[in-house]
Amino acid sequence: MAPTLADILAAVERIRPYAHRTPVWTCASLDRAVGARVFLKCENLQRVGAFKFRGACNAVFSLSEQEAARGVVCHSSGNHAQALALAARLRGVPAHIVMPSTAPGVKKAAVAGYGGQITFCEPTLEAREATQARVVAETGATVVHPYNDPRVIAGQGTAALELLQDHPDLDVILAPVGGGGLLSGTAIAAQETAPGIRVIAAEPEGADDAFRSLAAGRILPSVQPRTIADGLLTSLGSLTFPIIQERVERIVPVSEAGIVAAMKFVWERAKLVIEPSAAVPLALLWERRIDLTGLRVGVILSGGNVDLEKLPW
Amino acid sequence: MAPTLADILAAVERIRPYAHRTPVWTCASLDRAVGARVFLKCENLQRVGAFKFRGACNAVFSLSEQEAARGVVCHSSGNHAQALALAARLRGVPAHIVMPSTAPGVKKAAVAGYGGQITFCEPTLEAREATQARVVAETGATVVHPYNDPRVIAGQGTAALELLQDHPDLDVILAPVGGGGLLSGTAIAAQETAPGIRVIAAEPEGADDAFRSLAAGRILPSVQPRTIADGLLTSLGSLTFPIIQERVERIVPVSEAGIVAAMKFVWERAKLVIEPSAAVPLALLWERRIDLTGLRVGVILSGGNVDLEKLPW
């Protein structure tokens, strides 16, 4: 079931002792470059370097003592894995992270650094799900899905809620879309607290399954996505899709060149390290894919986890 | 004459409409890495990407209408030049920037982008000073020195003042030292508002003229400095040196490797783009050059202007 505003408000209180209330930042040269007044919600400055900590933290601290004691599990090699590992460590319970043996060493080290217990598997979705099921059977751990979970969606929605507390008069709010957890939480938080606000998503052209799903009226899988925005490769979920259908004005594809240009501009001028996925909604502004001239636009900067040895310029 | 706390408080009011009140940021992984509780005053997020805007803005808006109408001038190709150009533009008066013809194109473009009128000269100190004198003779512009000016020092001190307003209970405050404008302003602001606070400076080993000057009891010139921290190449000034002598506990040299390591860590983990000069006080913590274990340490992150095509790792 879709979370409500009450769920998001409860999440705010639940994660407050653990998550950062991230700053909202503005940059005059960015405003000039895109012709709008942009308010950057800096989730790159969130713990583990991504908004994902909000959802994972809300999920872990929603569990009963009994449930929590048996631990949590997910299959992920990205920001969600790190987020779940840290949230579990903060609650003092085990986090089992199923990762393909082919995952980059830096991602394995990051999860281990937050105390996650890694179980390796073959690099296929079937192997990941089978391995996760085995961990559940052996430990009784609770699965925390990266986006198709109402506790996770409610947690992700806290970023937009904070943004609108700081700047209640936004005209539009932009977020990237991968599995749709951030986007659906953002849409609920925004529309329930700022009626009339427009919620628009951006997606890489090379991974435009959410755009096509909205057009088709059903979830289309993400097949061989090709984009630098490696946080946005997944398909929508059964829980996130209807929320997005109901609440999101449109999903706008953006180019790879636009993603890189917007990302570099933010590094150079706003002095913030953001990952390609976070640059996706900025690319929508950068490329002026839709006319937002003169509007007050909130942007969820989703994260800042990049390999400094492999920058895309 | 050295500025007083009253001058710094006046500067706070004077620059308020133009300068950012920059956020103070913390990073749990940085704290663990250095064994202290670190509060980062993010002047990399200041306008023009550096604290220099505070001093230039205070100087420009301190001028009478008559003085201001004749414009301002400096010889600089660094952050101060951009800061002065922007401050003058905000007041609607000309900024004459004397730059060596050999300055990098990106620096010329940045100054021109803020509306500065560039006068080129030969790349020697004599030529720069002679050219600046000629501009003054021709235009009546007021010279705004990058650090040896009480209005500039007072402006730079506003960063520490804001930091201590947000976190009054710091044990130590760290700043880098080049010409000493930031350091002397920081020391006055800190000691006059938080009696007993320790003020410590960090300087690259390859440009340790301030360290040697303090030991010698007189200003020693910066001769052939070699460091990646290109904002810290200058010698102390007649105005900044006695303030530093009186108020700064010590100046600590740090290694180039420490500067790069601290800089990279902040990019990777704190997600902030900082320039090498800003990493110099962090290198002091990183290398544990002095024992600050367990203390609450404020750090002025001086700026974030770097060439993303030429990163030092």
Side-chain angles (χ1 to χ4, degrees):
Chain A
M1 226 180 68
T4 63
L5 179 61
D7 295 322
I8 298 173
L9 291 169
V12 167
E13 295 308 314
R14 195 174 288 121
I15 72 175
R16 192 194 299 279
Y18 312 104
H20 286 310
R21 181 172 183 121
T22 54
V24 177
W25 202 237
T26 62
C27 175
S29 53
L30 178 63
D31 289 356
R32 275 194 302 277
V34 304
R37 183 105 175 87
V38 182
F39 298 82
L40 303 169
K41 177 64 172 171
C42 295
E43 289 300 296
N44 59 324
L45 304 179
Q46 187 50 267
R47 295 189 79 172
V48 314
F51 76 90
K52 292 279 189 182
F53 181 68
R54 295 176 181 269
C57 187
N58 189 50
V60 167
F61 284 90
S62 294
L63 300 176
S64 70
E65 286 296 324
Q66 272 193 324
E67 288 171 320
R70 293 192 295 268
V72 288
V73 60
C74 72
H75 63 81
S76 162
S77 50
N79 289 336
H80 177 64
Q82 297 179 43
L84 191 63
L86 176 58
R89 189 178 77 188
L90 289 167
R91 187 147 185 195
V93 302
H96 303 277
I97 311 294
V98 176
M99 284 175 90
S101 48
T102 53
V106 61
K107 297 201 167 183
K108 298 174 188 169
V111 167
Y114 289 115
Q117 297 172 24
I118 304 178
T119 305
F120 291 109
C121 68
E122 293 300 303
T124 66
L125 182 60
E126 291 70 25
R128 291 162 64 145
E129 293 190 336
T131 308
Q132 178 175 287
R134 204 188 69 224
V135 171
V136 171
E138 288 171 4
T139 64
T142 301
V143 174
V144 179
H145 191 276
Y147 51 89
N148 213 38
D149 180 317
R151 301 162 301 191
V152 171
I153 294 171
Q156 319 304 31
T158 59
L161 200 79
E162 291 176 4
L163 170 58
L164 285 160
Q165 284 172 345
D166 291 352
H167 298 278
D169 54 351
L170 298 181
D171 300 303
V172 188
I173 195 160
L174 302 182
V177 57
L182 176 65
L183 178 58
S184 52
T186 297
I188 297 167
Q191 294 183 336
E192 298 300 321
T193 59
I197 195 169
R198 299 164 63 189
V199 180
I200 299 173
E203 190 177 37
E205 282 174 347
D208 67 346
D209 57 287
F211 170 75
R212 292 183 292 105
S213 297
L214 218 52
R218 63 194 168 87
I219 301 174
L220 299 177
S222 178
V223 182
Q224 295 194 307
R226 293 172 69 96
T227 174
I228 190 181
D230 59 359
L232 308 179
L233 303 180
T234 45
S235 315
L236 294 175
S238 57
L239 199 55
T240 57
F241 180 60
I243 301 171
I244 291 168
Q245 272 188 311
E246 178 192 338
R247 295 181 178 269
V248 174
E249 179 179 311
R250 58 190 289 192
I251 296 176
V252 181
V254 299
S255 77
E256 292 296 293
I259 296 168
V260 174
M263 176 176 165
K264 192 175 183 195
F265 191 90
V266 166
W267 285 48
E268 281 183 336
R269 304 303 295 261
K271 313 299 178 189
L272 294 170
V273 172
I274 61 170
E275 60 193 43
S277 302
V280 167
L282 292 167
L284 185 161
L285 288 162
W286 187 262
E287 298 189 308
R288 308 215 181 198
R289 290 279 171 135
I290 57 177
D291 185 14
L292 300 174
T293 308
L295 297 184
R296 295 169 64 83
V297 182
V299 176
I300 312 286
L301 284 186
S302 50
N305 289 329
V306 284
D307 184 346
L308 293 181
E309 312 289 348
K310 291 183 195 162
L311 297 175
W313 46 74
Chain B
M1 229 179 67
T4 63
L5 178 61
D7 295 322
I8 298 174
L9 291 169
V12 167
E13 296 306 315
R14 196 174 287 121
I15 72 175
R16 190 195 301 279
Y18 313 105
H20 286 312
R21 181 173 182 119
T22 53
V24 177
W25 203 237
T26 60
C27 175
S29 52
L30 178 63
D31 289 355
R32 274 194 302 277
V34 303
R37 184 104 174 87
V38 183
F39 297 83
L40 302 169
K41 177 64 173 170
C42 295
E43 289 302 295
N44 60 323
L45 303 179
Q46 188 50 268
R47 294 189 80 172
V48 315
F51 76 90
K52 292 278 186 182
F53 181 69
R54 295 177 181 268
C57 187
N58 189 49
V60 167
F61 284 89
S62 293
L63 299 177
S64 71
E65 287 296 326
Q66 273 193 323
E67 288 171 319
R70 293 192 295 269
V72 289
V73 60
C74 73
H75 63 81
S76 163
S77 50
N79 290 337
H80 177 63
Q82 297 180 42
L84 191 63
L86 176 58
R89 189 177 78 188
L90 289 167
R91 185 146 185 196
V93 302
H96 304 278
I97 311 295
V98 176
M99 284 176 89
S101 48
T102 52
V106 60
K107 297 201 167 182
K108 297 173 188 170
V111 167
Y114 289 117
Q117 298 172 23
I118 304 178
T119 306
F120 291 109
C121 68
E122 294 299 303
T124 66
L125 182 59
E126 291 71 26
R128 290 163 65 146
E129 292 190 336
T131 308
Q132 177 173 286
R134 206 187 67 224
V135 171
V136 170
E138 287 172 4
T139 63
T142 300
V143 174
V144 179
H145 191 277
Y147 51 88
N148 212 39
D149 180 317
R151 301 162 301 190
V152 171
I153 294 171
Q156 318 304 32
T158 59
L161 201 79
E162 290 176 5
L163 170 58
L164 284 160
Q165 283 172 345
D166 291 353
H167 298 278
D169 53 351
L170 298 180
D171 300 303
V172 188
I173 194 160
L174 301 183
V177 58
L182 176 65
L183 178 57
S184 51
T186 298
I188 297 167
Q191 294 183 336
E192 298 298 321
T193 57
I197 195 169
R198 298 164 64 190
V199 180
I200 299 174
E203 190 176 36
E205 281 175 346
D208 67 346
D209 56 287
F211 170 75
R212 290 183 294 106
S213 297
L214 219 51
R218 63 193 168 88
I219 300 175
L220 299 178
S222 178
V223 182
Q224 296 193 307
R226 293 172 70 97
T227 175
I228 191 181
D230 59 0
L232 307 180
L233 304 180
T234 46
S235 313
L236 294 175
S238 58
L239 199 53
T240 55
F241 180 59
I243 301 171
I244 291 168
Q245 273 188 309
E246 180 192 338
R247 295 182 178 270
V248 174
E249 178 178 313
R250 57 190 290 192
I251 296 177
V252 181
V254 300
S255 78
E256 293 295 293
I259 296 169
V260 173
M263 176 176 165
K264 192 176 184 193
F265 190 90
V266 166
W267 285 47
E268 280 183 335
R269 303 303 294 262
K271 312 299 178 190
L272 294 170
V273 172
I274 61 169
E275 59 193 43
S277 303
V280 167
L282 291 167
L284 184 161
L285 287 162
W286 188 262
E287 298 189 308
R288 310 215 181 195
R289 289 279 171 136
I290 57 176
D291 185 14
L292 300 174
T293 308
L295 298 184
R296 296 169 64 83
V297 182
V299 176
I300 312 285
L301 284 185
S302 51
N305 290 328
V306 283
D307 184 346
L308 293 181
E309 312 289 348
K310 291 182 194 161
L311 295 174
W313 46 74

